[in-house]
Protein backbone atom coordinates (compact mmCIF):
# COMPACT_ATOMS: atom_id res chain seq x y z
CA UNK A 1 0.00 0.00 0.00
CA UNK A 2 1.23 3.47 -0.84
CA UNK A 3 0.67 6.25 1.64
CA UNK A 4 0.84 9.94 0.79
CA UNK A 5 1.03 12.73 3.35
CA UNK A 6 -0.08 16.31 2.86
CA UNK A 7 2.17 18.50 4.96
CA UNK A 8 2.89 22.16 5.59
CA UNK A 9 5.15 23.64 8.26
CA UNK A 10 2.70 26.41 9.14
CA UNK A 11 -0.47 24.33 9.25
CA UNK A 12 0.60 20.94 10.58
CA UNK A 13 4.14 20.74 11.97
CA UNK A 14 4.19 20.57 15.77
CA UNK A 15 0.40 20.78 15.93
CA UNK A 16 -2.36 18.49 17.07
CA UNK A 17 -5.41 17.81 14.88
CA UNK A 18 -7.87 20.63 15.65
CA UNK A 19 -6.84 21.89 19.11
CA UNK A 20 -3.61 23.03 20.68
CA UNK A 21 -2.14 21.37 23.78
CA UNK A 22 -4.38 23.59 25.96
CA UNK A 23 -7.52 22.37 24.20
CA UNK A 24 -8.04 25.61 22.25
CA UNK A 25 -9.03 25.23 18.61
CA UNK A 26 -6.63 26.70 16.09
CA UNK A 27 -7.89 29.95 14.60
CA UNK A 28 -6.84 28.85 11.11
CA UNK A 29 -8.74 25.53 10.99
CA UNK A 30 -10.74 26.74 7.97
CA UNK A 31 -7.56 27.59 6.10
CA UNK A 32 -6.01 24.29 7.13
CA UNK A 33 -9.01 22.46 5.71
CA UNK A 34 -8.65 24.29 2.40
CA UNK A 35 -4.91 23.59 2.22
CA UNK A 36 -5.52 19.90 2.91
CA UNK A 37 -8.36 19.61 0.38
CA UNK A 38 -6.50 21.34 -2.41
CA UNK A 39 -3.35 19.35 -1.65
CA UNK A 40 -5.22 16.06 -1.88
CA UNK A 41 -7.11 17.02 -5.04
CA UNK A 42 -4.01 18.38 -6.79
CA UNK A 43 -2.12 15.19 -5.88
CA UNK A 44 -4.89 13.10 -7.44
CA UNK A 45 -4.62 15.17 -10.62
CA UNK A 46 -0.83 15.05 -10.71
CA UNK A 47 -0.78 11.26 -10.31
CA UNK A 48 -3.50 10.89 -12.98
CA UNK A 49 -5.78 8.98 -10.65
CA UNK A 50 -9.49 8.77 -11.42
CA UNK A 51 -11.20 7.88 -8.15
CA UNK A 52 -14.63 6.30 -8.30
CA UNK A 53 -15.36 7.51 -4.78
CA UNK A 54 -13.76 10.03 -2.47
CA UNK A 55 -14.85 9.32 1.09
CA UNK A 56 -14.43 12.39 3.31
CA UNK A 57 -14.08 11.83 7.03
CA UNK A 58 -13.69 14.52 9.63
CA UNK A 59 -13.83 18.29 9.60
CA UNK A 60 -10.63 18.66 7.62
CA UNK A 61 -12.27 17.05 4.58
CA UNK A 62 -15.49 19.08 4.70
CA UNK A 63 -14.45 21.39 1.88
CA UNK A 64 -13.54 18.53 -0.52
CA UNK A 65 -17.09 17.89 -1.79
CA UNK A 66 -17.58 21.56 -2.63
CA UNK A 67 -14.27 21.81 -4.46
CA UNK A 68 -14.80 18.61 -6.46
CA UNK A 69 -18.23 19.80 -7.62
CA UNK A 70 -17.13 23.37 -8.42
CA UNK A 71 -13.42 24.13 -8.84
CA UNK A 72 -12.55 20.66 -10.16
CA UNK A 73 -15.77 19.86 -12.02
CA UNK A 74 -14.09 20.03 -15.45
CA UNK A 75 -11.05 17.97 -14.49
CA UNK A 76 -10.96 14.53 -16.15
CA UNK A 77 -9.75 12.97 -12.89
CA UNK A 78 -13.04 13.87 -11.22
CA UNK A 79 -15.50 13.59 -14.12
CA UNK A 80 -17.30 10.57 -12.65
CA UNK A 81 -16.16 10.76 -9.04
CA UNK A 82 -18.79 10.37 -6.35
CA UNK A 83 -18.37 12.00 -2.96
CA UNK A 84 -19.39 10.39 0.32
CA UNK A 85 -19.16 12.32 3.58
CA UNK A 86 -19.13 10.67 6.99
CA UNK A 87 -20.63 12.53 9.93
CA UNK A 88 -19.24 11.98 13.42
CA UNK A 89 -20.30 13.04 16.90
CA UNK A 90 -17.29 15.24 17.47
CA UNK A 91 -16.41 18.39 15.61
CA UNK A 92 -15.13 21.90 15.83
CA UNK A 93 -16.59 24.14 18.53
CA UNK A 94 -15.56 27.57 17.26
CA UNK A 95 -17.15 29.29 14.30
CA UNK A 96 -15.23 29.22 11.05
CA UNK A 97 -14.67 32.66 9.63
CA UNK A 98 -16.82 32.95 6.48
CA UNK A 99 -13.93 34.60 4.69
CA UNK A 100 -11.55 31.70 5.25
CA UNK A 101 -10.14 31.70 1.72
CA UNK A 102 -12.66 29.51 -0.09
CA UNK A 103 -12.21 31.19 -3.48
CA UNK A 104 -10.54 28.99 -6.09
CA UNK A 105 -11.38 28.62 -9.79
CA UNK A 106 -15.17 28.12 -9.92
CA UNK A 107 -15.47 27.91 -6.13
CA UNK A 108 -16.78 31.27 -4.94
CA UNK A 109 -17.41 32.49 -1.44
CA UNK A 110 -20.82 33.88 -2.44
CA UNK A 111 -22.10 30.30 -1.99
CA UNK A 112 -21.77 30.91 1.74
CA UNK A 113 -24.72 33.31 1.62
CA UNK A 114 -26.86 30.14 1.56
CA UNK A 115 -25.68 29.34 5.10
CA UNK A 116 -26.13 31.06 8.45
CA UNK A 117 -24.02 34.14 9.09
CA UNK A 118 -22.73 32.30 12.13
CA UNK A 119 -20.73 29.77 10.11
CA UNK A 120 -20.28 27.17 12.81
CA UNK A 121 -19.43 23.49 12.52
CA UNK A 122 -23.04 22.59 11.68
CA UNK A 123 -23.00 24.99 8.73
CA UNK A 124 -19.58 23.65 7.65
CA UNK A 125 -21.04 20.13 7.70
CA UNK A 126 -24.07 21.30 5.71
CA UNK A 127 -21.69 22.62 3.04
CA UNK A 128 -20.11 19.16 2.82
CA UNK A 129 -23.53 17.46 2.71
CA UNK A 130 -24.84 19.77 -0.02
CA UNK A 131 -22.08 18.70 -2.40
CA UNK A 132 -21.98 15.01 -1.47
CA UNK A 133 -23.53 12.11 -3.34
CA UNK A 134 -24.02 10.13 -0.15
CA UNK A 135 -23.76 10.65 3.61
CA UNK A 136 -22.96 8.19 6.38
CA UNK A 137 -23.82 8.66 10.05
CA UNK A 138 -20.58 7.02 11.13
CA UNK A 139 -21.13 6.66 14.85
CA UNK A 140 -23.09 7.74 17.89
CA UNK A 141 -23.58 11.36 18.88
CA UNK A 142 -24.02 12.83 15.39
CA UNK A 143 -25.98 16.07 15.37
CA UNK A 144 -29.47 14.88 14.43
CA UNK A 145 -30.13 18.22 12.74
CA UNK A 146 -27.53 17.15 10.16
CA UNK A 147 -29.13 13.74 9.73
CA UNK A 148 -32.53 15.36 9.12
CA UNK A 149 -30.93 17.94 6.82
CA UNK A 150 -29.39 15.15 4.73
CA UNK A 151 -32.68 13.28 4.51
CA UNK A 152 -34.58 16.46 3.59
CA UNK A 153 -32.21 16.96 0.64
CA UNK A 154 -32.92 13.44 -0.65
CA UNK A 155 -29.24 12.52 -0.47
CA UNK A 156 -28.60 8.78 -0.07
CA UNK A 157 -28.00 8.11 3.61
CA UNK A 158 -26.68 5.23 5.69
CA UNK A 159 -26.60 5.06 9.47
CA UNK A 160 -23.94 3.18 11.37
CA UNK A 161 -24.72 4.98 14.64
CA UNK A 162 -25.64 1.79 16.47
CA UNK A 163 -22.92 -0.41 14.96
CA UNK A 164 -20.50 -1.83 17.50
CA UNK A 165 -17.95 -2.69 14.82
CA UNK A 166 -17.24 -1.77 11.22
CA UNK A 167 -19.82 -3.34 8.90
CA UNK A 168 -17.76 -3.72 5.75
CA UNK A 169 -20.65 -5.26 3.81
CA UNK A 170 -22.92 -2.31 4.62
CA UNK A 171 -20.28 0.13 3.39
CA UNK A 172 -19.66 -1.93 0.27
CA UNK A 173 -23.39 -2.04 -0.52
CA UNK A 174 -23.71 1.71 0.10
CA UNK A 175 -20.77 2.44 -2.21
CA UNK A 176 -22.32 0.23 -4.90
CA UNK A 177 -25.64 2.05 -4.60
CA UNK A 178 -23.90 5.41 -5.02
CA UNK A 179 -22.00 4.21 -8.10
CA UNK A 180 -25.14 2.91 -9.86
Amino acid sequence: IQVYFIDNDDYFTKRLMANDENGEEYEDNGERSIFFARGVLETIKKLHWTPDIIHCQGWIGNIVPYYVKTAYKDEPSFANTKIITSLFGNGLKKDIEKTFGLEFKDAHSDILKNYNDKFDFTEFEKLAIDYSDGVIEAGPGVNQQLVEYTKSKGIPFMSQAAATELDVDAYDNFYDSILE
Side-chain angles (χ1 to χ4, degrees), residues 98-117:
K98 275 187 124 176
T99 58
F100 64 104
L102 184 69
E103 302 268 334
F104 177 63
K105 294 184 180 179
D106 290 336
H108 301 287
S109 61
D110 62 346
I111 188 67
L112 296 177
K113 72 180 182 297
N114 297 326
Y115 301 93
N116 288 339
D117 286 337

Side-chain angles (χ1 to χ4, degrees), residues 25-41:
E25 287 183 6
Y26 298 112
E27 294 296 326
D28 61 355
N29 277 339
E31 291 174 28
R32 294 171 73 215
S33 177
I34 287 172
F35 177 85
F36 176 77
R38 287 185 54 189
V40 167
L41 297 172

